[in-house]
């Protein structure tokens, strides 16, 4: 079967943009992507749009043009962008369409996410008691992991230090100032062992990707950035998830394990073949644990990996080359597509100061979210 | 103290948490879902700390129903051997003395630490000689 290709990518810078709605940022990203691909909105045959908190994506046709285009809205937690992208590539693979768009945007209020128990099929008392707080889960997941696998708190700090260093090189990042390891380690504690610099924040931003069949991409004369795999999976038994009043004594795998394993099988390559990766880093421990959950190293190896700079831009597996969620923030509907945007830019060799050296040919993206969802992509050029 | 919700604690003395056993798979969860598939079962009163953290900022209201004046509290998962791992407050211990693997037993704490008439929520505290 011929591959689905990504022929255009556009982004509205992440962070806070007062006076601009989430939809406006999505529209901005679509226009950037159209320009990048050298096509018009009237060429677009279908769209999938993802947003969690910033309104219905299909309303953007008001601004882009009332062409009658098929436009499907996707709301699927932190996997919203990945789910939109998965659906878009299926629409092309099926032969129904030749060219379409996956767009994601969001605009969250300041502060932590305010989830309600009823949205997660949980009793009201669980929220009353103060447990609908995602940071608690992240902290307890890494505390357990550090205990089992000998990860130090300094290693957590080094992940944040790298994120802000990469963010400083990235025009679309929110946090563009390096932060010293000492400042990260000594900042006020949010949820032990994490200080405030070790968590990402909900934010704003928009990303659009234009997908085309290989035939269409060749006609347009675009570089063939091939989407070799896109998976979205839910959790297996015995996983540990956000907002869990109890978990099983018999421990199991994760949604990430499944999404990752299936993506590698689909792409016909393994973790050792990947040149760079964007891994969900809502907090520094997530990047560490996701290295292992996605098969890039064994549990516990991260201590040595981080100490030796293996995940730096010039390391053996550059991770979160644009600073990830830690430096870009997390607008849910756009976050997964930002990773793919970054991979497209890197594979084309257009990442400027943050370009991974050595002409990378393969790139990996991964998101994870409540209540146990994960989406993975593998791309090749 | 009155419990924060019905169906969390048994009426025995001392009380136990009430879990739910899946009639098909025997998997035990907490709390017991209001669903025919689950049979209420009393959970063990003692277990070991599986993981923990300290909530250092006041959670957003709604849904948090605790007092406006916020004091950090510890929260953890406690493994009840052979049953399930439950999420609960970790009480009556200094934050720096909390360790994964420590032995804990069931208690309850008021949602507002300054007001003993406020709703009681499940908590675990160190067993005897560790306290």
């Amino acid at each position: 079967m011929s591959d689905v290709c990504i022929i255009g990518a556009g982004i509205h810078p992440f962070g806070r943009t007062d006076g601009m709605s989430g939809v406006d940022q999505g529209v901005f990203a679509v226009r950037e992507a159209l320009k990048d691909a050298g096509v018009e909105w009237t060429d677009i045959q279908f769209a999938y749009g993802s947003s969690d908190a910033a309104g219905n994506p299909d309303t953007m046709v008001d601004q882009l043009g009332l062409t009658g285009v098929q436009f499907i809205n996707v709301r699927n937690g932190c996997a919203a962008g990945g789910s939109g992208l998965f659906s878009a590539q299926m629409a092309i693979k099926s032969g129904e369409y030749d060219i379409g768009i996956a767009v994601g945007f969001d605009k969250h209020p300041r502060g932590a996410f305010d989830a309600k128990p009823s949205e997660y099929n949980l009793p009201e008392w669980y929220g009353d008691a103060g447990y609908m707080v995602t940071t608690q889960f992240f902290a307890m997941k890494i505390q357990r992991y550090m205990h089992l696998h000998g990860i130090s708190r300094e290693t957590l700090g080094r992940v944040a230090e790298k994120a802000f260093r990469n963010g400083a090189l990235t025009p679309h990042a929110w946090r563009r100032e390096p932060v010293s390891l000492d400042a990260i380690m000594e900042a006020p504690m949010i949820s032990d062992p994490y200080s405030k610099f070790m968590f990402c924040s909900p934010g704003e931003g928009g990303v659009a990707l234009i997908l085309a069949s290989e035939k269409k991409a060749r006609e347009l004369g675009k570089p063939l950035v091939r989407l070799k795999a896109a998976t979205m999976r839910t959790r297996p038994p015995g996983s540990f998830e956000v907002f869990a009043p109890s978990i099983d004594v018999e421990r199991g795998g994760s949604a990430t394990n499944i999404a990752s394993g299936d993506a590698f099988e689909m792409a016909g390559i393994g973790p050792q073949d990947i040149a760079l990766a964007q891994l969900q880093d809502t907090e520094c421990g997530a990047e560490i644990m996701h290295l292992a959950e996605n098969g890039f190293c064994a549990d516990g190896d991260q201590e040595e990996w981080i100490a030796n700079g293996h995940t730096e831009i010039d390391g053996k597996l550059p991770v979160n080359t644009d600073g990830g969620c830690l430096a870009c923030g997390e607008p849910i509907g756009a976050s997964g597509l930002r990773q793919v945007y970054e991979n497209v830019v890197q594979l084309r060799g257009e990442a400027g100061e943050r370009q991974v050296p050595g002409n990378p040919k393969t790139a990996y993206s991964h998101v994870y979210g409540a209540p146990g969802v994960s989406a993975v992509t593998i791309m090749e050029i | 103290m009155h419990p924060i919700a019905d169906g969390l604690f048994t009426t025995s003395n001392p009380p136990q948490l009430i879990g739910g056993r899946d009639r098909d798979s025997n998997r035990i969860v907490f709390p017991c879902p209001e669903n025919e598939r689950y049979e209420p079962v009393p959970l063990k009163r003692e277990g070991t700390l599986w993981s923990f953290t300290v909530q250092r900022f006041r959670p957003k209201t709604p849904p948090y129903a605790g007092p406006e004046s916020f004091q950090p509290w510890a929260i953890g998962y406690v493994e009840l051997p052979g049953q399930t791992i439950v999420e609960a407050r970790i009480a009556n211990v200094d934050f720096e003395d909390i360790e994964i693997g420590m032995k804990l037993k069931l208690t309850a704490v008021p949602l507002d630490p300054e007001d003993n008439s406020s709703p009681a929520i499940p908590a675990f505290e160190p067993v005897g000689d560790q306290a």
Side-chain angles (χ1 to χ4, degrees):
Chain A
M1 190 189 289
S2 68
D3 290 319
V4 174
C5 297
I6 298 179
I7 62 164
I11 196 163
H12 183 280
F14 279 36
R16 291 280 173 207
T17 310
D18 292 337
M20 200 168 176
S21 71
V23 174
D24 290 346
Q25 296 179 46
V27 168
F28 180 97
V30 170
R31 291 191 171 130
E32 290 292 303
L34 292 169
K35 213 186 312 171
D36 182 50
V39 298
E40 302 293 328
W41 174 246
T42 49
D43 297 322
I44 299 300
Q45 298 168 334
F46 71 91
Y48 283 88
S50 52
S51 159
D52 195 67
N56 291 328
D58 63 314
T59 58
M60 66 171 64
V61 296
D62 278 344
Q63 297 182 63
L64 290 166
L66 300 174
T67 59
V69 67
Q70 170 184 304
F71 201 126
I72 295 174
N73 296 336
V74 181
R75 196 162 176 266
N76 206 11
C78 295
S83 302
L85 184 64
F86 172 83
S87 306
Q89 56 103 35
M90 283 300 290
I92 292 172
K93 265 191 186 167
S94 72
E96 184 83 13
Y97 294 116
D98 298 314
I99 183 167
I101 196 161
V103 55
F105 58 84
D106 242 313
K107 189 176 179 92
H108 301 288
R110 284 163 214 273
F113 289 117
D114 48 348
K116 309 277 182 295
S118 57
E119 293 165 5
Y120 291 89
N121 196 28
L122 289 167
E124 289 300 314
W125 70 264
Y126 190 77
D128 292 351
Y131 300 161
M132 293 301 292
V133 180
T134 54
T135 45
Q136 288 170 6
F137 160 76
F138 293 130
M140 288 194 274
K141 188 174 175 192
I142 193 67
Q143 289 269 70
R144 178 76 186 169
Y145 196 86
M146 291 165 80
H147 174 78
L148 288 179
H149 301 295
I151 303 296
S152 66
R153 186 164 181 268
E154 182 168 321
T155 293
L156 303 182
R158 288 192 188 283
V159 170
E161 187 193 18
K162 169 180 68 74
F164 298 123
R165 201 169 344 103
N166 291 355
L169 305 175
T170 305
H172 67 251
W174 182 7
R175 316 286 186 200
R176 303 214 54 205
E177 294 288 331
V179 181
S180 74
L181 183 60
D182 283 351
I184 291 165
M185 300 295 285
E186 283 155 29
M189 201 72 98
I190 298 289
S191 201
D192 309 39
Y194 289 135
S195 73
K196 71 166 187 175
F197 286 117
M198 297 182 180
F199 280 111
C200 84
S201 303
E204 303 173 20
V207 179
L209 302 167
I210 298 180
L211 286 76
S213 61
E214 187 170 334
K215 180 166 166 282
K216 184 80 179 174
R218 286 186 191 280
E219 274 172 32
L220 291 165
K222 304 305 294 180
L224 299 180
V225 179
R226 298 165 185 274
L227 189 57
K228 300 301 287 188
T231 57
M232 185 275 153
R233 296 289 185 270
T234 52
R235 66 193 186 278
S239 69
F240 181 28
E241 310 294 352
V242 177
F243 308 144
S246 70
I247 55 180
D248 294 347
V249 173
E250 191 176 327
R251 307 302 310 136
S254 66
T256 295
N257 292 153
I258 304 175
S260 173
D262 288 354
F264 279 123
E265 195 177 323
M266 240 174 248
I269 60 174
Q272 69 286 352
D273 301 312
I274 297 294
L276 69 134
Q278 318 297 334
L279 305 177
Q280 180 88 348
D281 62 332
T282 39
E283 65 315 324
C284 349
E287 181 172 316
I288 291 168
M289 293 182 284
H290 289 151
L291 272 169
E293 281 186 48
N294 286 286
F296 293 109
C297 70
D299 289 320
D301 286 357
Q302 300 96 326
E303 192 71 7
E304 185 264 328
W305 270 53
I306 307 295
N308 290 319
H310 292 340
T311 58
E312 300 285 340
I313 285 173
D314 61 356
K316 73 173 179 185
L317 180 72
V319 174
N320 293 329
T321 46
D322 66 351
C325 293
L326 287 167
C328 294
E330 192 191 19
I332 289 179
S335 202
L337 298 181
R338 172 189 53 75
Q339 299 178 327
V340 177
Y341 169 89
E342 174 66 6
N343 282 341
V344 169
V345 172
Q346 290 282 353
L347 291 175
R348 288 191 197 153
E350 296 169 353
E353 286 184 282
R354 68 183 193 284
Q355 178 65 47
V356 169
N359 300 315
K361 299 291 180 214
T362 52
Y364 186 94
S365 75
H366 158 263
V367 293
Y368 162 79
V373 294
S374 179
V376 165
T377 71
I378 295 172
M379 289 191 291
E380 279 181 20
I381 195 164
Chain B
M1 284 196 290
H2 59 285
I4 194 165
D6 292 337
L8 294 184
F9 296 95
T10 62
T11 51
S12 56
N13 188 17
Q16 290 168 270
L17 292 176
I18 303 171
R21 188 182 66 83
D22 184 326
R23 294 175 201 270
D24 292 334
S25 69
N26 283 326
R27 176 179 178 235
I28 295 175
V29 299
F30 172 81
C32 183
E34 290 174 32
N35 181 326
E36 271 303 293
R37 201 174 125 188
Y38 292 89
E39 171 195 16
V41 288
L43 297 181
K44 291 175 182 168
R45 299 194 74 253
E46 295 195 5
T48 55
L49 187 62
W50 189 83
S51 193
F52 70 99
T53 187
V54 178
Q55 178 66 31
R56 300 272 179 182
F57 64 92
R58 189 181 185 283
K60 277 188 181 175
T61 300
Y64 182 52
E68 274 307 316
S69 64
F70 182 73
Q71 290 297 322
W73 34 259
I75 177 174
Y77 280 94
V78 180
E79 179 166 349
L80 307 175
Q83 292 190 320
T84 187
I85 302 173
V86 298
E87 187 178 19
R89 295 290 174 88
I90 308 300
N92 305 324
V93 55
D94 290 340
F95 296 154
E96 55 269 31
D97 294 335
I98 302 176
E99 280 179 354
I100 291 174
M102 73 192 297
K103 289 194 178 1
L104 299 168
K105 66 177 195 298
L106 182 66
T107 182
V109 293
L111 184 56
D112 181 349
E114 309 280 298
D115 177 6
N116 275 332
S117 69
S118 70
I121 53 177
F124 283 80
E125 64 184 359
V127 173
D129 55 355
Q130 296 182 107

